[in-house]
Amino acid sequence: MRLDKFISATTTLSRAEAKKIIKKGILINNILVKSPDYKIDEINDQVIVNGNRLFYQKYVYIMMNKPQNVISATEDAIDKTVVDLLEEKDRIYKVFPVGRLDKDTEGLMLLTNDGELAHKLISPKKDVEKKYYVEVSGELKEEHLELVKDGLVIDEGYKCKSARLEILESSKVKSIANIYITEGKFHQVKRMMKALGTTVTYLKRLSIGTLELDKTLKLGEYRYLTDKEIKNLNK
Ligand code: URA
């Protein structure tokens, strides 16, 4: 990798800013280098900027407990995004959110720069199950379990893939459930609940495949995935 690219990938500096500081000279394996196109061995070369060695990590994986009123995008002119919630030091990896959660949905948001894994997790063909905790106004009934399992038909006639509903509490006024789906259509859970004659009042994602939301994360907080979590997601 070129030196200017390496510096911009491992610091908050842009490529142009990296070029500027390279002109003044960068210590690489104790030798002063001044050319931006100098080829770096990302793993073995010792690159020192402002007295600190730069370490290159190709892929990073972050789980966040997304709060409401934050959108799952990398940037937005109006709203705060999940990437805005990251500290500057964590933004250097240029992560993006895997799949979408609505502005008013809370819970597990995975952020990564690993496009291949992201695709694997959101592609409906891969059948990765996502678990949501949902509160609705209206009654969820036993007969709904079968409808959801058979594939609910939502508003415009689209037949959902088979899903699983687990009713936790139910009354005529309010019901609480967990729902497990393998697709990620726009407003999918809300539309499925509407098809069952109810309206979502609160929605939170609890898991994506093997990855479960860390219960110790408060809304807006995040942490890096453990090696075990990454390994399990890649299985
Ligand atoms: N389904 C929805 O309706 N909204 C979400 O944010 C996620 C799934």
Side-chain angles (χ1 to χ4, degrees):
M1 181 186 290
R2 287 171 57 109
L3 177 59
D4 54 351
K5 189 167 178 204
F6 178 83
I7 291 178
S8 93
T10 50
T11 66
T12 54
L13 299 175
S14 67
R15 197 82 171 258
E17 288 163 340
K19 277 189 179 138
K20 256 190 207 161
I21 64 157
I22 294 167
K23 270 195 190 148
K24 293 183 198 150
I26 300 288
L27 268 187
I28 302 175
N29 305 328
N30 289 326
I31 295 163
L32 203 64
V33 174
K34 291 187 175 184
S35 40
D37 61 355
Y38 181 91
K39 287 281 174 303
I40 291 289
D41 169 343
E42 298 96 351
I43 308 299
N44 296 310
D45 280 346
Q46 236 189 54
V47 183
I48 311 286
V49 169
N50 295 331
N52 296 315
R53 173 157 181 203
L54 303 184
F55 287 98
Y56 181 72
Q57 239 179 310
K58 191 168 179 199
Y59 293 133
V60 294
Y61 307 88
I62 292 172
M63 75 153 81
M64 177 183 285
N65 187 0
K66 178 194 162 308
Q68 293 185 355
N69 299 317
V70 170
I71 60 167
S72 42
T74 48
E75 52 188 349
D76 190 81
I78 301 161
D79 288 305
K80 208 173 222 188
T81 72
V82 284
V83 170
D84 293 333
L85 296 185
L86 299 177
E87 284 181 49
E88 204 175 331
K89 68 176 174 54
D90 300 312
R91 254 182 258 152
I92 62 172
Y93 300 108
K94 301 162 180 99
V95 294
F96 54 84
V98 176
R100 298 214 158 221
L101 287 180
D102 297 334
K103 191 172 167 181
D104 59 358
T105 300
E106 292 178 357
L108 178 60
M109 188 86 245
L110 176 65
L111 295 126
T112 185
N113 49 2
D114 180 349
E116 202 175 317
L117 179 73
H119 173 73
K120 190 177 138 194
L121 295 176
I122 53 182
S123 165
K125 285 195 199 121
K126 306 281 184 189
D127 272 346
V128 176
E129 193 173 72
K130 288 100 187 168
K131 176 181 180 184
Y132 291 87
Y133 166 91
V134 61
E135 296 182 4
V136 297
S137 58
E139 189 175 12
L140 287 172
K141 305 173 190 159
E142 284 299 304
E143 68 210 51
H144 290 155
L145 305 183
E146 209 58 28
L147 290 176
V148 170
K149 189 170 167 220
D150 290 346
L152 265 184
V153 178
I154 52 180
D155 29 31
E156 310 85 15
Y158 173 78
K159 189 171 175 5
C160 298
K161 289 175 76 173
S162 174
R164 193 153 57 92
L165 183 66
E166 200 173 63
I167 301 173
L168 303 174
E169 277 179 48
S170 177
S171 76
K172 286 213 169 351
V173 188
K174 180 183 173 179
S175 303
I176 301 178
N178 286 324
I179 184 161
Y180 305 76
I181 59 174
T182 55
E183 315 170 270
K185 295 254 177 278
F186 183 63
H187 291 335
Q188 176 133 4
V189 173
K190 290 175 183 163
R191 287 157 73 198
M192 288 171 82
M193 290 299 147
K194 192 169 161 220
L196 296 175
T198 66
T199 306
V200 170
T201 53
Y202 177 78
L203 186 59
K204 177 172 190 155
R205 184 159 61 192
L206 299 178
S207 65
I208 304 172
T210 55
L211 185 66
E212 289 180 16
L213 177 66
D214 183 333
K215 291 186 183 71
T216 65
L217 289 177
K218 298 195 182 87
L219 287 168
E221 289 184 345
Y222 63 92
R223 69 156 170 83
Y224 282 83
L225 263 55
T226 63
D227 288 343
K228 194 170 166 203
E229 285 169 331
I230 298 168
K231 210 164 130 201
N232 286 337
L233 271 183
N234 274 299
K235 266 186 192 159

